[in-house]
Amino acid sequence: MPVVVMLSSSLLWSRVLAMLFSCVAFSVAIHGAMVREQPAGDWCLFSWGFSFAGTALVLLVELCGLQSRAPVSWKNFPITFACYASLFCLSASIIFPLYFVKGFQTSNQSYDYRIVSLVFSCLATIAYLTEVSISKARPGELAGYMATVPGLLKVCETFVACIIFVFISDPNAYESHAALKWCMAVYCVCFILSAVVIVLCVGECTGCLPFPFARFLSAYALLAVAMYLSATIIWPIYKFDRKHGGTPTRPSQCGSKPGLCGFDKLMAVAVLTGVNFILYLADLIYSARLVFVSV
């Protein structure tokens, strides 16, 4: 029988606070914020619910001493989940006010619930970022790959790619030119390869590869940098240059309704493409210097 051991540590309390904050944000939004049946509301509810459920599972496993029985690498799973949860809560903290706070009457009762959900979403983001900061590997430390900077960058890369997919879910956004289809291919290929790396590390399957894992990481990072550099250049040219059928200015009707209009989403894709290029470039630099990690 596993024995529950209560550990008094900053890591434990950061997880407890993150779980409570995400639970409050989710519960208040469900109770009176009136955000259901809208895609943006569903995303925020999923982000808070996913974060709460995953953190509760991590706490249960660790407090009951079941790490050795878990079917995943416990050196890699908790920090991977915490990083994803921080990004989910951060995205909810940005999306929620755009769709459910901006432009609404402050005297409405549901508005008060929305403010409470927003505040606790921000607190959950801070708590998860604190957990990641405490858990990440320090120079000279023997740790799992996902606890290192390149491992955390992989999480950020896949998450940013997911947000890009949400913004270009309409095929009309990329089917008008072959160059835009190339950008879509870049997002898909790099996302799949980064996700494969994360799965291999969390599942402790890196030794099954027919080639050295470190060499694969460096080669993939170099390829991703080159591909994202091309997309960072091509996407704005074909979306915002009038010579290539783009729209250089934001339509006036975009400011008359909450949320993001079509132009805003295309601009967000351009910005996020640049962000992922920077992430992959940092990944390449760190991967080349990584010598203290045991995967």
Side-chain angles (χ1 to χ4, degrees):
M1 287 287 293
V3 179
V4 177
V5 180
M6 297 299 294
L7 301 176
S8 178
S9 68
S10 54
L11 179 59
L12 171 64
W13 287 112
S14 65
R15 285 174 178 164
V16 171
L17 290 175
M19 182 181 68
L20 292 177
F21 292 152
S22 57
C23 180
V24 172
F26 176 85
S27 302
V28 171
I30 284 287
H31 179 67
M34 300 177 64
V35 298
R36 285 177 288 183
E37 299 181 359
Q38 297 188 49
D42 291 340
W43 172 267
C44 294
L45 291 174
F46 169 78
S47 298
W48 299 324
F50 169 80
S51 301
F52 165 75
T55 306
L57 177 63
V58 170
L59 282 172
L60 180 64
V61 170
E62 294 212 337
L63 294 178
C64 294
L66 301 176
Q67 297 94 321
S68 60
R69 300 185 182 183
V72 294
S73 167
W74 210 252
K75 294 187 298 182
N76 290 305
F77 178 76
I79 190 170
T80 302
F81 176 82
C83 191
Y84 272 120
S86 66
L87 293 172
F88 272 113
C89 289
L90 176 62
S91 68
S93 300
I94 296 172
I95 293 172
F96 195 77
L98 287 175
Y99 283 88
F100 302 107
V101 176
K102 177 185 175 183
F104 286 89
Q105 295 180 356
T106 57
S107 58
N108 195 320
Q109 185 179 9
S110 64
Y111 184 87
D112 297 333
Y113 284 98
R114 293 174 182 182
I115 292 298
V116 173
S117 287
L118 176 59
V119 170
F120 278 92
S121 179
C122 294
L123 291 174
T125 302
I126 295 172
Y128 279 117
L129 289 174
T130 302
E131 180 184 346
V132 172
S133 177
I134 295 172
S135 303
K136 72 177 183 179
R138 304 301 193 271
E141 232 175 36
L142 191 66
Y145 176 77
M146 298 307 300
T148 66
V149 173
L152 296 175
L153 286 173
K154 293 288 189 304
V155 174
C156 296
E157 291 156 7
T158 56
F159 186 84
V160 171
C162 287
I163 301 297
I164 291 176
F165 293 145
V166 171
F167 286 145
I168 56 175
S169 55
D170 183 3
N172 293 328
Y174 56 87
E175 286 190 342
S176 56
H177 295 279
L180 296 176
K181 292 180 181 178
W182 162 254
C183 293
M184 188 64 180
V186 169
Y187 305 143
C188 293
V189 170
C190 293
F191 168 78
I192 292 172
L193 290 177
S194 291
V196 166
V197 170
I198 294 173
V199 171
L200 288 174
C201 291
V202 173
E204 290 191 316
C205 300
T206 56
C208 300
L209 296 175
F211 41 78
F213 185 60
R215 186 173 299 175
F216 166 73
L217 291 175
S218 299
Y220 159 55
L222 180 61
L223 174 65
V225 166
M227 294 177 70
Y228 258 96
L229 176 60
S230 66
T232 302
I233 297 171
I234 292 172
W235 184 268
I237 290 176
Y238 282 88
K239 282 301 178 183
F240 306 117
D241 188 347
R242 194 172 276 112
K243 294 180 181 179
H244 297 88
T247 305
T249 56
R250 188 173 186 256
S252 57
Q253 61 267 26
C254 280
S256 60
K257 52 185 179 180
L260 302 176
C261 65
F263 181 88
D264 294 336
K265 293 179 180 179
L266 297 178
M267 180 62 71
V269 171
V271 173
L272 292 174
T273 302
V275 169
N276 242 5
F277 167 69
I278 295 173
L279 292 175
Y280 276 109
L281 182 61
D283 191 354
L284 175 63
I285 295 171
Y286 274 102
S287 294
R289 299 172 56 188
L290 190 62
V291 294
F292 60 91
V293 174
S294 173
V295 179

